[in-house]
Amino acid sequence: MSLVTETAAESTAVPEDEPRRAWPAVFALARFEARDLLRYIPVLATLLLYVGYTAWTLFHPQDGMEAFPALQDADRATQNGPLLLGIALFVCVNRCTLRSRRRGTDRQFDVMVMEPWRRTVAHVLSVVPFAAVTALVVLGEFTRQALRPGAVGHGSLAELAVGPLYVLLCGAFGVLLARLVPSTFAAPVGVVGLFVLGVFVSAGTSGAQWTRWLSPIVDETSRNTVLPTDLVGRPAAWHALYLTGLILLLALCAVLASGGRTPLLKAGAAGALALTVTGAMGQSGGVSPELAAARERVSVSPERVQSCVRLDGSTYCAFPEWTGRTGDWAGAVDRVRSLAGGTAARQPLVVRQRVEARYGLDGDAAIEPLTTPHQVTVGTRWGGNRVPEFAVAVAYVLVAGDESKGGELCDGRVVTTMWLAVGGDAHPMTALANVRLDDSVTGDAGVLAPTSGLSMTAGQTDVVRELLRRPRGEVTASVKRHWSELTAPGVSTAQVARVLGVEVPKEANDCAEE
């Protein structure tokens, strides 16, 4: 009996060079597990959806504001794409890790040369190919945006790394959960629990900067504001370090839970914990005094950091990253000024780029209108609706004199202003709808502009709509001929309609008559 035992012990003894020879087997198992993950419908479906949709957006023609991307926002836009893929990997990697337990083959694995902790390493490594695919998609998506003719700004490698790191994080967490809670129901419950926890943390600690950055993906993007790259102020590098440390920590904890007790693994786990804590502390600092002062300076005194150029008599002042866009602004100014009469047709303007940066990326505060005569505000976004909105600002500066008086226009001068703003557009009726809050060309509505907008009554809308239906040259000649009457303070909408030969609308009331 003792001879049989000794013989069995000798047959299962691990050779001295076995640790070195075991790693090729670990990598081979990782390749097998990666291929096996593709057999799971959630992983395959979300991967195809992610890659396919991104590829469609890359080769689909972009127009409007999408044709003028800001790269300091485009890098963050790559982070939400892998969300579903990460969740699918979390659930399916967890299920793969529990395969031997579900099928009752743990005993067979116990007599194999490869230790359980090495199999855990293989499961963690099986997610790496999916992270690599995510990295390629992210790189392609950002590169396509950077190559667009209207692109401005600079991206961040740390922001671009968040998507692939998120995929790795989901995989490592799925393996760890399988080792700690060996049940197939743990992963679905974990997804729901993490979602509820995320909502609770966001709702309960909305003002705490450090808690927001504990989430893998921190989204803070305003629909109206694009900040210069050096004013973004996101701790992207610290966050990437935090995610890297967290991935290593979860993976090594899973290995330790599987029986790996070597000093190297324990030291690695301690180092990963230190890396995670360092990243978490670094990203929790909030807005530095230097950044707050820079944002204040750009918001209050943009001329101190801008460069200006003269085009066709007007001056265009832009932040350094937007200097290449002054030609687009000049084209919009020329279209508006070409429809004006009197001195307005030759009036030099100062177009100044302005942004409200004091509230960060989430700030949507309105920009105060300029009181200096013949100065016009242009924002940091361009394309789409921003073009006719800028044209509205140019038009009411030509009509009223300065931006601060634009909000006071509610008489017949609104008709003249709106004709100047959209009359020279290639699709004037569409431009009219785009600058109105209700996206219509009938009835009362507010009109958008970079600073203060206008208000159009139903009668004024009817007159403008009728003017846009007539030949552009005919209306332009009439506006130039009667410019003094059309821009006189207090002129009524009915008077403007009669001067321009348009039927006076039934509802011609405006502020001058109320």
Side-chain angles (χ1 to χ4, degrees):
M1 185 67 176
S2 60
L3 181 61
V4 174
T5 305
E6 291 175 2
T7 303
E10 292 175 359
S11 64
T12 58
V14 179
E16 293 182 359
D17 63 343
E18 187 60 38
R20 185 178 69 253
R21 294 167 50 194
W23 285 109
V26 171
F27 296 139
L29 180 59
R31 289 193 298 270
F32 169 81
E33 293 294 347
R35 290 193 300 268
D36 189 64
L37 281 172
L38 287 174
R39 295 173 53 248
Y40 287 85
I41 294 178
V43 172
L44 182 61
T46 54
L47 181 63
L48 291 177
L49 178 64
Y50 173 48
V51 175
Y53 177 76
T54 305
W56 180 82
T57 58
L58 292 182
F59 298 102
H60 186 72
Q62 302 293 315
D63 54 8
M65 284 182 284
E66 294 179 351
F68 298 86
L71 300 184
Q72 57 267 41
D73 283 354
D75 54 8
R76 296 197 306 277
T78 64
Q79 297 176 3
N80 291 323
L83 280 176
L84 291 179
L85 176 61
I87 294 173
L89 285 170
F90 167 70
V91 174
C92 295
V93 168
N94 179 272
R95 187 172 180 82
C96 286
T97 308
L98 294 173
R99 185 193 304 112
S100 59
R101 183 179 182 85
R102 295 196 320 271
R103 298 180 179 178
T105 58
D106 281 339
R107 295 180 180 179
Q108 285 81 356
F109 280 139
D110 288 340
V111 300
M112 296 182 67
V113 174
M114 185 181 294
E115 301 97 317
W117 69 266
R118 293 184 189 273
R119 293 197 299 273
T120 298
V121 172
H123 283 294
V124 173
L125 293 177
S126 68
V127 188
V128 172
F130 296 93
V133 171
T134 303
L136 290 175
V137 174
V138 166
L139 184 61
E141 184 178 1
F142 180 78
T143 302
R144 181 67 183 92
Q145 296 289 357
L147 293 177
R148 296 192 186 282
V152 297
H154 303 87
S156 166
L157 286 176
E159 296 283 12
L160 295 174
V162 170
L165 291 175
Y166 170 77
V167 171
L168 288 174
L169 180 65
C170 290
F173 187 37
V175 176
L176 175 62
L177 187 63
R179 293 311 185 203
L180 297 180
V181 185
S183 171
T184 55
F185 295 102
V189 173
V191 171
V192 176
L194 289 175
F195 175 76
V196 173
L197 178 63
V199 173
F200 176 77
V201 170
S202 299
T205 59
S206 58
Q209 184 78 2
W210 70 272
T211 55
R212 297 177 64 224
W213 285 95
L214 294 179
S215 174
I217 298 176
V218 182
D219 188 20
E220 46 178 359
T221 301
S222 168
R223 292 177 297 176
N224 298 322
T225 301
V226 176
L227 298 183
T229 302
D230 55 351
L231 300 184
V232 171
R234 281 171 59 94
W238 287 112
H239 189 60
L241 181 66
Y242 161 74
L243 290 180
T244 302
L246 189 58
I247 292 167
L248 294 174
L249 180 62
L250 295 180
L252 290 171
C253 285
V255 172
L256 292 174
S258 301
R261 293 292 188 271
T262 65
L264 184 60
L265 290 175
K266 294 179 180 178
L273 178 60
L275 202 65
T276 305
V277 173
T278 301
M281 293 178 63
Q283 69 185 9
S284 63
V287 179
S288 65
E290 295 79 12
L291 178 60
R295 287 178 172 178
E296 177 82 16
R297 182 168 56 254
V298 165
S299 302
V300 177
S301 305
E303 65 277 1
R304 296 171 60 183
V305 295
Q306 290 179 339
S307 58
C308 301
V309 296
R310 287 184 63 83
L311 296 172
D312 297 330
S314 293
T315 304
Y316 299 86
C317 301
F319 297 118
E321 294 172 312
W322 280 269
T323 53
R325 194 162 288 171
T326 53
D328 296 320
W329 303 340
V333 170
D334 290 342
R335 284 195 300 272
V336 175
R337 202 163 45 184
S338 66
L339 304 180
T343 58
R346 304 178 302 276
Q347 177 61 54
L349 298 176
V350 176
V351 176
R352 187 171 300 282
Q353 190 175 37
R354 299 171 64 207
V355 63
E356 177 53 77
R358 287 173 287 187
Y359 306 102
L361 291 170
D362 287 332
D364 276 328
I367 301 176
E368 291 296 322
L370 295 168
T371 57
T372 307
H374 307 130
Q375 286 203 13
V376 186
T377 295
V378 65
T380 51
R381 286 191 182 274
W382 189 252
N385 295 0
R386 300 294 90 87
V387 178
E389 289 172 13
F390 172 65
V392 170
V394 174
Y396 67 58
V397 166
L398 292 177
V399 171
D402 64 72
E403 284 189 343
S404 63
K405 298 176 182 177
E408 302 173 4
L409 288 181
C410 51
D411 51 26
R413 290 177 293 173
V414 170
V415 173
T416 307
T417 299
M418 294 308 299
W419 160 253
L420 297 181
V422 301
D425 196 276
H427 305 282
M429 204 67 73
T430 301
L432 176 62
N434 288 341
V435 296
R436 288 164 58 97
L437 283 174
D438 59 357
D439 295 326
S440 74
V441 292
T442 59
D444 301 336
V447 178
L448 297 172
T451 56
S452 57
L454 305 174
S455 295
M456 292 184 70
T457 65
Q460 292 165 349
T461 303
D462 292 341
V463 175
V464 172
R465 190 174 62 249
E466 180 60 30
L467 291 175
L468 296 179
R469 289 172 177 165
R470 294 189 173 188
R472 182 180 302 170
E474 174 188 319
V475 179
T476 301
S478 183
V479 169
K480 289 178 177 291
R481 188 166 52 251
H482 301 285
W483 180 256
S484 299
E485 301 171 65
L486 298 176
T487 58
V491 63
S492 67
T493 300
Q495 289 173 308
V496 170
R498 283 192 288 268
V499 167
L500 296 177
V502 177
E503 181 180 356
V504 177
K506 296 180 180 178
E507 299 179 5
N509 294 333
D510 49 48
C511 65
E513 299 174 355
E514 292 177 352

